[in-house]
Amino acid sequence: MAHGGGSEGGTGSGRGGAEGRLGAEFFTPGTSSFTEFLAAHRPELLSTRRRVPDGVRVAPDQVPHGTTVLALTYRDGVLIAGDRRATMGNLISQRDLEKVVPADDHTAVAFAGTVGLALDMMKLYQVELTHFEKIEGTPMSLRAKAARLAGMTRQNLGQAIQGLAVVPLLAGYDLTAPGGGTGRIFAFDVAGGPFEKYGFHSEGSGSPYARGALKKLYRPDMSRREAALAALQALYDAADDDSATGGPDLGRRIFPVVSVITEAGFERLPEPETEELSREMLEQRQSRPDGPAATP
């Protein structure tokens, strides 16, 4: 087999040596950030670095956008949830999009905004956390995880200005919090600014209505079931007033994604449980269309 140039085992930066051997950059001490490693050696693999031509703004009806996601802390940890709809302008582009993904054993991310870029960012973030733990031999702290996600969001600022914004929502269980483990929530703006939120938060086009619902329903001592019902009520209110947010679809059996993170780790609520809670919530709406009253 020939050595050296061409497509057969070339020696470009970050592309390995002859016969597919890893290049020197893989053995050179450097950053524990996988994103920074790619930026240095294979920047073309970072979707957040690609921009449409200068002066061009992408129309909102040309690319799918995810809508409403939320998170709230409860007695045992933190819950994170999202509706399933993606839209392109006034069209529904997808009815079963999953906007909540686990980042590691005790962290999850949900997103609103440009779907394609968001999915790439979530995958890269998962690798980022795994890479750090393998290099450093210890998991990142929750605040450091928020800082890393903020940096990745900031890298997308150029595309956000052109209409391709991604807004993540981070929820995690902090095992090292003073006084014992606890659920925490971090929100971000399109420029990557991280903000810790207390109690609950929501992002996306339906977020004002979801936050309004959570404001009247939230209690810090809720059980998992109570927290899940509150999240479903909030997503229903968002769907009721925001056409880009999808409510439970009984005909297609498509229901919001609801996940919890506790000391035991990440867990997505099983589909039968989410369906049961969604049907219970919809039955309650038959007698009270505007939803339950504020908790005394």
Side-chain angles (χ1 to χ4, degrees), residues 139-154:
M140 222 182 272
S141 70
L142 187 56
R143 185 166 289 280
K145 293 175 187 178
R148 287 292 174 95
L149 186 55
M152 294 173 66
T153 305
R154 192 174 302 114

Side-chain angles (χ1 to χ4, degrees), residues 16-35:
E19 296 183 348
R21 296 190 184 97
L22 294 176
E25 64 275 6
F26 289 93
F27 303 98
T28 303
T31 177
S32 59
S33 169
F34 183 73
T35 306

Side-chain angles (χ1 to χ4, degrees), residues 108-196:
V109 184
F111 67 86
T114 307
V115 172
L117 289 178
L119 293 175
D120 278 354
M121 185 184 293
M122 298 305 102
K123 292 175 184 176
L124 184 59
Y125 186 59
Q126 291 169 330
V127 176
E128 180 80 6
L129 298 189
T130 301
H131 184 265
F132 177 91
E133 186 169 349
K134 289 184 180 297
I135 295 296
E136 299 294 337
T138 184
M140 222 182 272
S141 70
L142 187 56
R143 185 166 289 280
K145 293 175 187 178
R148 287 292 174 95
L149 186 55
M152 294 173 66
T153 305
R154 192 174 302 114
Q155 290 175 0
N156 191 54
L157 179 58
Q159 293 185 98
I161 292 172
Q162 294 177 311
L164 299 174
V166 176
V167 181
L169 180 62
L170 177 70
Y173 190 85
D174 191 347
L175 295 164
T176 62
T182 186
R184 299 173 70 183
I185 301 167
F186 291 88
F188 307 83
D189 58 31
V190 293
F195 307 94
E196 183 163 7

